[in-house]
């Protein structure tokens, strides 16, 4: 099996946040994006889309993940950390496999200590400190729509286009000029 970008799906995931990235990874990047679930059961996105995960996270071989995308959703603020997911993130980052988190998913990274020592962003510094009081990464926080640092991509919930751009750069989709043109096209600038 060839390594692929993977999108975590769960009940209530914010389906629009990874949409730009997922579409262009497949269409322009030639990647087969796989969905992974916290279980093998179907999930319903925040927008009401039913998704049957391609794989259960417990059965996933990290060797076949090219990049892990963590979309936002209410679960990050309300559910306890998932030890299997935290273990997967740890394994991926140690192997230098990129991890991309947008909106509330940055809370999972903060709670797991993954943001320490890396430039990152979220829905605001106060938001991260409120959701993850022990995160301890304030000095590396950047007030931007998306930030990429050594394979870790973080984004505000308002930065889906910029999030996609950082994923494209990490995976070599489009040239630098094409990425910026793509952003202008979707941002209307």
């Amino acid at each position: 099996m060839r390594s692929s970008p993977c999108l975590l799906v769960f009940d209530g995931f914010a389906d629009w946040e990874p949409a730009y990235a997922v579409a262009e990874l497949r269409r322009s990047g030639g990647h087969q994006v796989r969905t992974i679930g916290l279980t093998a059961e179907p999930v319903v996105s925040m927008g009401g889309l039913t998704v049957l995960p391609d794989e259960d996270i417990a059965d996933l071989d990290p060797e076949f993940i090219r990049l892990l995308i963590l979309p936002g959703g209410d679960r990050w603020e309300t559910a306890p950390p998932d030890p299997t997911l935290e273990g997967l993130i740890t394994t991926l980052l140690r192997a230098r496999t990129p991890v991309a988190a947008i909106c509330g998913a940055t809370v999972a990274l903060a709670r797991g200590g993954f943001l320490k020592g890396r430039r990152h962003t979220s829905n605001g510094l106060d938001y991260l400190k409120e959701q993850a009081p022990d995160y301890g990464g304030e000095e590396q926080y950047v007030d931007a729509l998306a930030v990429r640092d050594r394979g870790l991509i973080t984004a505000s919930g308002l930065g889906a286009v910029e999030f996609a751009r950082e994923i494209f750069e990490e995976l070599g989709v489009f040239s630098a000029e094409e990425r910026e043109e793509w952003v202008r096209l979707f941002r209307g600038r």
Side-chain angles (χ1 to χ4, degrees), residues 1 6-9 34-43 51-62 65 68 82 84-85 88:
M1 178 188 283
C6 291
L7 171 65
L8 181 70
V9 294
R34 295 184 347 243
T35 56
I36 59 172
L38 298 173
T39 70
E41 298 301 312
V43 299
V51 178
L52 178 63
D54 294 317
E55 293 183 67
D56 179 327
I57 195 169
D59 300 329
L60 194 61
D61 184 346
I65 298 176
L68 176 62
D82 183 280
T84 305
L85 178 59
L88 175 63

Side-chain angles (χ1 to χ4, degrees), residues 7-158:
L7 171 65
L8 181 70
V9 294
F10 51 86
D11 279 323
F13 78 95
D15 44 23
W16 67 93
E17 290 175 341
Y20 291 114
V22 169
E24 289 295 348
L25 285 173
R26 186 191 65 75
R27 191 176 135 245
S28 299
H31 293 279
Q32 175 64 39
V33 179
R34 295 184 347 243
T35 56
I36 59 172
L38 298 173
T39 70
E41 298 301 312
V43 299
V44 178
S45 73
M46 200 178 286
L49 302 174
T50 300
V51 178
L52 178 63
D54 294 317
E55 293 183 67
D56 179 327
I57 195 169
D59 300 329
L60 194 61
D61 184 346
E63 292 281 320
F64 295 108
I65 298 176
R66 177 67 186 91
L67 174 135
L68 176 62
I69 301 171
L70 304 173
D74 294 337
R75 92 168 313 280
W76 305 117
E77 296 171 3
T78 59
D82 183 280
T84 305
L85 178 59
E86 284 190 345
L88 175 63
I89 294 168
T90 298
T91 299
L92 294 174
L93 291 175
R94 282 187 183 150
R96 297 193 173 144
T97 300
V99 174
I102 186 169
C103 196
T106 60
V107 170
L109 296 181
R111 288 179 180 159
F114 301 110
L115 300 178
K116 291 179 183 168
R118 293 180 196 248
R119 293 176 346 103
H120 60 276
T121 196
S122 181
N123 294 335
L125 180 57
D126 289 341
Y127 168 77
L128 269 186
K129 288 166 52 175
E130 179 182 317
Q131 295 298 319
D134 298 327
Y135 109 94
E138 295 176 25
E139 66 284 346
Q140 296 293 316
Y141 186 85
V142 179
D143 189 15
L145 290 175
V147 173
R148 185 168 57 93
D149 186 354
R150 293 173 286 136
L152 186 69
I153 299 167
T154 52
S156 160
L158 300 176

